[in-house]
């Protein structure tokens, strides 16, 4: 049933808070989150609790949400990062900080464009270039509006307390101006340049990719050995290559200058087969003499190592490929062929010419586009770049000097490895969706370029026909790198920028440590002179299995949810379908929609399940059992609170605790609560979300509910008990503290409970739990002394009594006597707290004795020097005799079977020794069980 509102029936009283009527009729025994979540999020937003005040006198705390791509609905990976951020944000807000958490979404150039291209192709059969740029962008904007709105609703459903008044999108006007301003600043400082460069080309998406957008895999391919003749006709050399088709673009052959086999050939010329073009044979230490024959072909237009070598030797560079990945006019008669087709044709031609030697199997490292999965083609292309040498040392120092801490610190070496191997950053993309490069080229004089930030300059406005804007767009990560300060109004000097930059932290996944984190450090430090955050918590990824098909033209088509679910359920995967466990991705479809999880388990349980994972690990697995567990916890929390509130009888809780009325269990629970408050705050300060969750979980379930509430029940039932009011006061105190302690993790259920608790105490002055003070410490009105040790002894005593009763098959609800055997000094503490023991376990009269009494049948256990004896109740003697007789009969049958098996010589010869030993152990155990059962049965008879 739909939950109407927090119901608690207590003397018909009604409380009002924040314009919301709180009827106290707590009749529901199961927590129903749906209506609670919807109601309280609307309440928080309406009251503006999440809106940061730049003029506040509170200390500042700020962070930006890693903007999710507008490529479809969010998945559990987004739910994880936003849950972790919201926990920190709510904790800091309750701790007295003026918190700004900026929400937003990312236009995600390649990702979004590729999704829309596939969508349009499926719907219309038309490719991107069959639309005008304007028509295509209209389709992308429509897609963005559809999914951007859905994404924001998902974030709200999760309970994220971000400042919606400052919602941003990476293509909105202010973000676009920031991008143009940064581009102009870098361009004017000589850090951005355009040039022909070997780039990673995605032939499916038709764009260049940065180095960190390429994923590598080992593939079994071939190594071709080909004969290249010397131009003077005196002989030939044999080269080994995995790319025979690009030999048409060779501009040299190289050997190691100290290789004795070939030193005498350096300086000669090679007559390149098929093309009959003369190319030099050069010496270069880059060549590995042990690879193949020790002679390598140099193809600078299609190999990054060859490209660097060619620059050292001033070799020409030839590009063989079109943007679609087919051979261009430089391929001669092979023009128009795909790379695979050209490979076959070139090898066949070399065979005809007598230049083919052999082909071997070879394991080759192949790059794939992280978006389209297309095989990357190194290709010469005119692109825009940022000079990274300018930033290398500073990027290292930022981390080495502790200006920005990477947490956990084991990410430091990974970060440094990436920085050490930086090449110039290719920032241009041959796309339509994104920030168009703000450079205008003069059609008549290509050397003339104008960068436009705001208004069109007079040179262009007077002669518009002479100028055209660069057609490419910027890499998505360029604008994402500005996110920590562009969202605060940069390049303008806004109050937000002055107050909230640098941000206080960043929470993000490890897969974008290079894509995003390093770029933000670069951009923020360059633009504003200091890194954008002092620390970043880097969490793991939630994985899912993706399935896809690849068409003949290289387009990737990911399988539908229904098809994926069928394969995951055991249906055979067709041969044309490829699969891989990888991080959850909307474009790959291997996702779980967090809304489905929230609808099934509630937002609070979902958040707890995510936060309870060891989030610092690289790969995070979350299954249904964890979600079920925290759904049960939410229900346990609800019912524990329900019990407390129903036993407060609608009376106001006033005044402090009276130390002289506090019993052992009262002091124990207060000491434990104080410790848990400390543990949670320390865990959150170190991003130990799982430790914080575990600490509160164990306290509430295993200590407060399992022990303290059970001990309190007899006192609460006894209206005449002088300690009854004190117990009510303490129950309220513990519940109220735990409600506030849990709020960052479970905001909805805690807000619901907090509003009810407000009706019992005038001290709860905050209109919402969201802005109530966070528990930081709990002053105790007594000395701790040996409270914990004494209570631990009583807990151990209870556990041992329960074990003994279980051994004797005494039902949990049946009362049994208890004998304590020991000296007077050891027995005194237990006898002093026998009421506590009786509240926790079903024992009747507790008798202290110096020696064991004469009993027909009993079971015992020890707690330190005290022996606990539980006799078998007289009315259970006949039942116990019957049980033992049946056990003897069953054991006799087991012994006969084992003896027959072990007495079979054929079996003993054939059976493995481990099996024979196992059966002999089983026989020994059965024989001992029979002996013990016989002794006990004789005692009872």
């Amino acid at each position: 049933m739909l939950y109407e509102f927090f119901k608690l029936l207590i003397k018909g009283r009604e409380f009002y808070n924040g314009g919301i009527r709180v009827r106290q009729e707590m009749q529901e025994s199961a927590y129903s989150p749906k209506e609670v979540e919807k109601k309280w999020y609307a309440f928080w937003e309406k009251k503006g609790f999440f809106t940061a005040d730049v003029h506040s006198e509170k200390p500042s705390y700020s962070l930006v949400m890693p903007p999710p791509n507008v490529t479809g609905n969010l998945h559990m990976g987004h739910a994880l990062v936003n849950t972790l951020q919201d926990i920190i944000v709510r904790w800091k807000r309750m701790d007295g900080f003026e918190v700004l958490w900026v929400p937003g979404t990312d236009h995600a150039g390649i990702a979004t464009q590729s999704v829309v291209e596939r969508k349009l192709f499926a719907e219309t059969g038309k490719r991107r270039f069959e639309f005008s740029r304007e028509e295509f962008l209209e389709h992308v904007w429509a897609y963005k509006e559809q999914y951007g709105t859905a994404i924001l609703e998902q974030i709200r459903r999760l309970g994220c307390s971000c400042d919606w008044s400052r919602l941003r999108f990476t293509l909105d006007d202010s973000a676009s101006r920031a991008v143009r301003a940064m581009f102009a600043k870098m361009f004017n400082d000589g850090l951005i340049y355009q040039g022909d460069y070997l780039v990673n080309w995605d032939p499916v998406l038709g764009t260049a990719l940065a180095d960190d957008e390429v994923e590598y895999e080992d593939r079994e391919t071939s190594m071709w050995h080909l004969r290249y003749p010397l131009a003077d006709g005196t002989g030939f050399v044999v080269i080994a290559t995995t790319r025979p088709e690009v030999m048409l673009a060779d501009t040299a052959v190289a050997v190691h200058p100290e290789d004795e086999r070939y030193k005498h050939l350096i300086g000669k010329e090679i007559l390149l087969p098929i093309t009959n073009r003369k190319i030099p044979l050069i010496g270069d230490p880059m060549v590995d003499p042990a690879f193949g024959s020790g002679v390598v072909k140099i193809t600078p237009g299609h190999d990054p190592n060859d490209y660097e070598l060619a620059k050292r030797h001033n070799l020409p560079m030839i590009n063989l490929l079109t943007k679609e990945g087919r051979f261009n006019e430089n391929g001669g008669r092979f023009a128009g062929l795909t790379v695979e087709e050209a490979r076959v044709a070139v090898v066949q031609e070399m065979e005809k010419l007598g230049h083919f030697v052999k082909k071997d199997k070879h394991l080759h490292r192949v790059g794939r586009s992280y978006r389209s999965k297309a095989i990357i083609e190194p290709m010469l292309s005119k692109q825009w770049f940022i000079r990274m040498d300018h930033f290398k040392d500073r990027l290292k120092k930022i981390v080495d000097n502790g200006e920005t801490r990477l947490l956990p610190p084991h990410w430091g070496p990974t970060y440094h490895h990436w920085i050490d191997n930086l090449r110039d950053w290719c920032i241009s993309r041959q796309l339509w969706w994104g920030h168009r490069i703000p450079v205008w080229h003069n059609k008549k004089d290509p050397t003339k370029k104008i960068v436009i930030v705001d208004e069109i300059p007079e040179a262009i406005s007077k002669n518009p026909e002479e100028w055209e804007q660069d057609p490419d767009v910027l890499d998505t990560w360029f604008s994402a790198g500005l996110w920590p300060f562009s969202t605060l109004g940069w390049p303008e000097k806004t109050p937000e920028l002055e107050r909230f930059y640098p941000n206080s932290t960043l929470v993000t996944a490890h897969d974008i440590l290079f894509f995003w984190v390093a770029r933000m450090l670069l951009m923020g430090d360059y633009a504003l002179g200091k890194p954008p955050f002092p620390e970043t918590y880097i969490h793991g990824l939630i994985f899912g299995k993706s399935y896809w098909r690849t068409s003949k033209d290289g387009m990737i088509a990911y399988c539908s949810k229904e098809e994926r679910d069928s394969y995951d359920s055991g249906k055979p995967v067709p041969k044309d379908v490829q699969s891989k466990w990888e991080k959850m991705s909307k474009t790959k479809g291997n996702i779980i929609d967090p809304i489905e999880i929230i609808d099934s388990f509630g937002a609070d349980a979902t958040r707890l399940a995510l936060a309870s994972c060891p989030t610092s690990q690289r790969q995070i697995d979350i299954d249904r059992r964890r979600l079920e567990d925290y759904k049960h916890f939410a229900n346990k929390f609800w019912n524990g609170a329900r019990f407390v509130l129903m036993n407060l009888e609608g009376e106001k809780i006033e005044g402090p605790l009276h130390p002289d009325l506090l019993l052992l269990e009262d002091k124990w629970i207060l000491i434990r609560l104080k410790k848990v408050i400390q543990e949670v705050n320390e865990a959150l300060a170190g991003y130990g979300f799982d430790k914080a969750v575990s600490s509160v979980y164990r306290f509430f379930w295993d200590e407060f509910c399992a022990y303290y509430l059970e001990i309190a029940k007899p006192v609460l039932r006894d209206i005449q008990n002088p300690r009854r009011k004190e117990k009510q006061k303490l129950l309220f105190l513990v519940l109220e503290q735990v409600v506030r302690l849990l709020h960052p993790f479970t905001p909805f259920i805690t807000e619901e409970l907090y509003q009810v608790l407000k009706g019992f105490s005038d001290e709860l002055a905050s209109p919402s739990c969201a802005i109530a003070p966070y528990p930081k410490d709990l002053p105790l009105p007594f000395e701790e002394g040996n409270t914990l040790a004494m209570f631990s002894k009583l807990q151990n005593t209870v556990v041992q009594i329960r074990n003994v009763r279980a051994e004797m098959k005494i039902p949990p609800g049946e009362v049994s006597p208890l004998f304590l055997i020991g000296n007077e000094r050891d027995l005194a503490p237990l006898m002093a707290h026998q009421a506590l023991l009786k509240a926790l376990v079903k024992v009747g009269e507790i008798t202290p004795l110096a020696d064991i009494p004469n009993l027909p049948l009993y079971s015992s256990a020890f707690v330190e020097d005290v022996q606990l004896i539980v006799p078998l109740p007289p009315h259970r003697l006949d039942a116990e005799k019957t049980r033992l007789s049946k056990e003897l009969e069953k054991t006799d049958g087991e012994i006969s079977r084992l003896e027959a098996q072990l007495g079979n010589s054929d079996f003993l010869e054939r059976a493995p020794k481990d099996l024979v030993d196992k059966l002999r152990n089983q026989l020994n155990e059965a024989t001992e069980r029979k002996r013990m059962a016989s002794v006990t049965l004789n005692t009872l008879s």
Side-chain angles (χ1 to χ4, degrees):
M1 59 181 286
L2 287 178
Y3 182 63
E4 178 183 329
F5 191 66
F6 189 101
K7 295 182 174 182
L8 175 62
L9 181 60
I10 300 178
K11 294 184 178 180
R13 293 186 55 170
E14 295 180 346
F15 301 107
Y16 295 82
N17 183 70
I20 293 181
R21 177 179 174 181
V22 181
R23 296 183 59 206
Q24 304 233 327
E25 310 169 33
M26 194 174 182
Q27 299 169 343
E28 301 292 347
S29 61
Y31 173 58
S32 303
K34 190 170 184 180
E35 292 303 312
V36 170
E37 293 169 4
K38 181 179 179 181
K39 170 186 58 189
W40 286 122
Y41 200 92
F43 169 70
W44 293 325
E45 263 199 276
K46 182 180 179 181
K47 294 296 182 181
F49 294 143
F50 307 155
T51 304
D53 179 4
V54 294
H55 304 297
S56 166
E57 295 183 358
K58 298 177 183 178
S60 300
Y61 193 87
S62 64
L63 68 163
V64 291
M65 178 183 294
N69 296 346
V70 288
T71 47
N73 291 333
L74 303 186
H75 56 68
M76 290 301 286
H78 298 98
L80 172 66
V81 67
N82 286 312
T83 292
L84 300 185
Q85 289 173 95
D86 193 50
I87 290 170
I88 294 293
V89 162
R90 288 180 180 271
W91 173 52
K92 287 294 184 178
R93 188 181 291 119
M94 294 176 73
D95 197 27
F97 286 80
E98 191 62 38
V99 176
L100 171 61
W101 183 18
V102 180
T105 51
D106 196 310
H107 68 281
I110 290 178
T112 305
Q113 179 161 314
S114 61
V115 168
V116 174
E117 282 194 53
R118 288 198 296 268
K119 180 174 180 287
L120 289 176
F121 183 73
E123 293 172 353
T124 67
K126 295 167 68 176
R127 303 285 189 189
R128 187 213 333 172
F129 291 105
E130 296 177 70
F131 297 91
S132 70
R133 186 168 189 147
E134 291 70 24
E135 287 174 333
F136 181 79
L137 288 177
E138 285 179 9
H139 287 289
V140 186
W141 275 106
Y143 184 89
K144 177 266 173 187
E145 291 302 320
Q146 176 187 350
Y147 283 100
T149 302
I151 286 169
L152 301 182
E153 180 58 26
Q154 285 180 297
I155 293 171
R156 285 182 167 90
R157 284 288 307 275
L158 192 61
C160 296
S161 59
C162 33
D163 187 343
W164 293 109
S165 70
R166 293 179 168 91
L167 176 66
R168 301 299 296 273
F169 176 54
T170 54
L171 274 180
D172 62 26
D173 291 342
S174 57
S176 296
R177 185 173 187 277
V179 166
R180 295 193 300 271
M182 178 60 81
F183 188 97
K185 177 176 172 60
M186 287 186 153
F187 184 86
N188 293 332
D189 286 347
L191 297 173
I192 287 180
Y193 68 95
Q194 187 182 34
D196 289 320
Y197 200 79
L198 196 70
V199 297
N200 306 298
W201 190 262
D202 181 332
V204 171
L205 294 176
T207 184
L209 300 179
D211 290 345
D212 44 21
E213 293 174 314
V214 180
E215 299 172 342
Y216 290 93
E217 62 183 37
D218 289 329
R219 295 182 65 196
E220 189 174 281
T221 179
S222 298
M223 176 77 76
W224 284 267
H225 297 259
L226 305 174
R227 184 181 290 119
Y228 278 21
L230 295 169
D232 60 10
T234 59
F236 58 85
V237 291
V238 174
I239 61 97
T241 179
T242 57
R243 300 288 308 273
E245 68 280 5
V246 296
M247 64 169 287
L248 304 176
D250 289 355
T251 58
V253 168
V255 298
H256 193 282
E258 302 302 322
D259 191 332
E260 294 296 337
R261 295 170 294 176
Y262 306 114
K263 284 173 67 174
H264 66 287
L265 296 178
I266 295 175
K268 286 183 174 288
E269 289 186 318
I270 297 292
L271 187 64
L272 186 65
I274 301 178
T275 67
N276 291 322
R277 181 163 42 84
K278 291 182 179 181
I279 59 176
L281 193 155
I282 61 177
D284 193 282
M286 179 202 80
V287 179
D288 179 5
F291 178 78
S293 64
V295 185
V296 295
K297 56 194 285 300
I298 305 301
T299 319
H302 296 285
D303 184 276
N305 293 321
D306 293 358
Y307 176 82
E308 296 298 330
L309 184 147
K311 287 198 297 183
R312 290 196 296 272
H313 293 271
N314 295 315
L315 297 175
M317 302 184 190
I318 301 171
N319 174 42
L320 276 178
L321 298 177
T322 66
K323 292 180 178 181
E324 294 75 30
R326 293 179 176 272
F327 271 37
N328 61 23
E329 66 280 1
N330 291 328
R333 61 180 179 275
F334 304 106
L337 298 182
T338 65
V339 170
E340 295 293 333
E341 292 168 344
R343 180 173 301 157
V344 173
V346 167
V347 170
Q348 287 176 347
E349 185 65 20
M350 290 294 280
E351 287 176 340
K352 288 180 185 177
L353 295 172
H355 295 312
F356 174 81
V357 179
K358 63 176 180 175
K359 181 175 75 170
D360 301 326
K361 287 185 178 180
H362 181 71
L363 196 63
H364 186 48
R365 194 163 181 254
V366 176
R368 282 189 179 274
S369 166
Y370 84 118
R371 285 298 177 192
S372 72
K373 297 295 182 184
I375 293 177
I376 292 298
E377 291 291 345
M379 190 173 87
L380 277 175
S381 177
K382 188 176 289 295
Q383 301 290 340
W384 289 94
F385 295 88
I386 293 178
R387 301 183 195 278
M388 296 303 290
D389 282 344
H390 177 82
F391 299 101
K392 264 190 178 182
D393 288 343
R394 182 63 187 137
L395 286 173
K396 288 182 184 179
K397 288 178 181 178
I398 286 173
V399 172
D400 290 343
N401 297 344
E403 296 174 67
T404 295
R405 294 188 302 141
L406 304 182
L407 303 171
H410 63 69
W411 286 108
T414 308
Y415 171 86
H416 278 92
H417 176 76
W418 185 76
I419 299 298
D420 288 339
N421 291 278
L422 273 180
R423 294 198 305 167
D424 285 356
W425 174 14
C426 177
I427 57 171
S428 49
R429 298 291 181 270
Q430 288 63 55
L431 305 173
W432 289 347
W433 174 245
H435 292 279
R436 194 163 175 180
I437 290 175
V439 175
W440 290 71
H441 303 270
N442 189 285
K443 297 178 184 178
K444 296 180 179 179
D445 184 356
T447 63
K448 291 183 179 180
K449 294 178 174 63
I450 297 177
V451 177
I452 298 177
V453 176
D454 293 310
E455 296 181 1
I456 303 292
E458 187 176 332
I460 295 178
S461 60
K462 282 188 174 181
N463 302 289
E465 70 285 351
E466 294 183 9
W467 297 85
E468 62 181 355
Q469 187 175 1
D470 197 288
D472 293 347
V473 301
L474 286 165
D475 179 7
T476 296
W477 300 106
F478 187 98
S479 56
L482 314 184
W483 193 243
F485 52 95
S486 67
T487 53
L488 302 177
W490 187 90
E492 304 302 325
K493 293 181 179 180
T494 63
E496 286 84 358
L497 186 66
E498 182 178 351
R499 167 123 199 206
F500 293 111
Y501 187 90
N503 301 161
S504 304
T505 190
L506 174 78
V507 178
T508 191
H510 70 72
D511 63 321
I512 51 177
L513 174 59
F514 314 131
F515 283 124
W516 194 38
V517 177
R519 267 70 179 269
M520 284 189 287
L521 294 179
L522 183 158
M523 296 292 198
D525 189 69
Y526 171 68
L528 293 160
K530 45 191 165 184
F533 32 78
E535 61 186 23
T536 175
Y537 176 69
I538 302 164
H539 63 77
L541 300 171
I542 298 179
F543 272 48
K545 197 170 188 179
S546 56
Y547 299 88
W548 72 89
R549 291 179 174 86
T550 306
S551 64
K552 290 181 179 179
D553 59 358
M555 289 291 283
I556 296 290
Y558 287 97
C559 298
S560 66
K561 182 179 186 301
E562 292 73 23
E563 193 173 358
R564 293 195 315 272
D565 290 346
S566 69
Y567 300 148
D568 289 339
S569 301
K571 181 181 176 180
V573 180
K575 290 182 179 179
D576 67 328
V577 173
Q578 295 172 274
S579 65
K580 181 182 179 182
W581 279 98
E582 49 193 343
K583 72 166 186 171
M584 284 190 177
S585 164
K586 290 176 286 185
T587 55
K588 296 169 185 173
N590 61 338
I591 65 171
I592 300 172
D593 187 342
I595 299 303
E596 294 178 14
I597 301 300
I598 290 172
D599 287 342
S600 298
F601 299 96
D604 290 327
T606 301
R607 290 167 61 107
L608 281 173
L610 289 166
S612 70
C613 295
T615 55
S616 60
Q617 293 183 0
R618 286 177 178 264
Q619 182 174 333
I620 298 171
D621 298 317
I622 182 167
D623 58 28
R624 195 174 187 87
R625 290 169 297 179
R626 186 182 292 266
L627 290 157
E628 290 282 5
D629 184 24
Y630 285 101
K631 181 180 181 181
H632 293 325
F633 176 76
N635 207 49
K636 183 76 171 181
F637 187 48
W638 176 262
N639 281 316
R642 179 172 175 261
F643 172 83
V644 171
L645 292 167
M646 290 177 70
N647 279 280
L648 294 183
E649 299 182 317
E651 299 298 329
K652 287 280 186 179
I653 302 298
E654 298 175 333
L657 294 170
H658 295 94
D660 56 326
L661 293 178
L662 298 178
L663 299 177
L664 175 69
E665 65 269 19
D666 303 323
K667 294 180 180 179
W668 168 76
I669 199 67
L670 289 171
I671 292 170
R672 286 296 304 127
L673 177 58
K674 178 184 178 73
K675 180 64 174 174
V676 168
I677 289 171
Q678 293 171 347
E679 289 172 353
V680 171
N681 280 282
E682 288 172 7
L684 289 178
Y687 302 94
F689 302 99
D690 54 335
K691 294 177 182 177
V693 170
S694 176
S695 186
V696 184
Y697 180 105
R698 287 185 286 103
F699 172 78
F700 192 83
W701 193 307
D702 298 339
E703 296 179 326
F704 183 65
C705 290
Y707 282 93
Y708 190 75
L709 289 188
E710 294 302 317
I711 297 169
K713 285 177 181 178
V715 178
L716 296 171
R717 286 194 289 262
D718 183 0
I719 298 176
Q720 303 302 321
N721 194 310
R723 289 189 170 87
R724 188 166 181 270
K725 288 290 185 184
E726 201 68 10
K727 273 285 190 288
Q728 291 174 325
K729 190 183 297 182
L730 200 147
L731 285 168
F732 176 87
L733 183 152
V734 174
L735 177 60
E736 184 271 326
Q737 290 275 324
V738 174
V739 163
R740 287 189 285 128
L741 196 65
L742 262 177
H743 179 78
F745 306 91
T746 58
F748 295 108
I749 192 172
T750 51
E751 186 68 69
E752 183 86 339
L753 291 169
Y754 181 82
Q755 295 298 334
V756 177
L757 288 167
K758 278 173 60 63
F760 289 91
S761 174
D762 295 333
E763 294 182 11
L764 300 183
S766 172
S768 169
C769 194
I771 55 173
Y774 197 73
K776 299 293 286 185
D777 191 18
L778 185 67
L780 300 176
F782 54 84
E783 294 294 327
E784 291 188 23
N786 69 338
T787 300
L788 293 180
M790 186 64 241
F791 197 86
S792 178
K793 182 174 182 177
L794 292 170
Q795 283 179 301
N796 191 19
T797 301
V798 169
V799 169
Q800 295 301 329
I801 295 170
R802 288 173 176 170
N803 289 343
V804 167
R805 285 167 52 89
E807 288 174 8
M808 302 185 71
K809 305 296 189 292
I810 299 174
E814 185 175 312
V815 177
S816 62
L818 173 66
F819 294 92
L820 303 179
I821 313 301
N823 62 49
E824 186 174 345
R825 180 175 59 83
D826 292 333
L827 295 178
L830 296 180
M831 292 305 297
H833 298 98
Q834 58 179 306
L836 186 151
L837 295 177
K838 290 180 179 180
L840 293 170
V841 66
K842 289 289 184 178
V843 293
E845 184 179 356
I846 300 177
T847 307
L849 295 171
D851 298 304
I852 300 174
N854 185 19
L855 298 169
L857 185 66
Y858 66 86
S859 187
S860 70
F862 280 88
V863 174
E864 297 176 4
D865 293 328
V866 176
Q867 186 176 11
L868 314 173
I869 291 182
V870 177
L872 184 71
H875 67 275
R876 294 194 56 79
L877 289 176
D878 289 340
E880 183 65 9
K881 288 179 184 179
T882 301
R883 186 187 70 79
L884 288 170
S885 296
K886 289 181 178 179
E887 185 176 325
L888 278 173
E889 183 179 344
K890 179 182 177 183
T891 306
D892 280 337
E894 184 180 352
I895 290 171
S896 298
R897 178 180 60 79
L898 289 168
E899 286 178 338
Q901 200 168 4
L902 291 169
N904 186 329
S905 57
D906 289 341
F907 170 77
L908 294 177
E909 288 178 7
R910 295 194 310 269
K913 183 179 182 300
D914 290 347
L915 177 58
V916 173
D917 291 343
K918 180 180 178 182
L919 294 176
R920 283 176 176 154
N921 288 335
Q922 289 177 358
L923 178 59
N924 293 335
E925 291 169 1
T927 303
E928 179 62 17
R929 287 202 308 274
K930 177 181 178 181
R931 187 188 69 79
M932 293 293 295
S934 298
V935 170
T936 304
L937 190 58
N938 289 336
T939 302
L940 294 177
S941 302

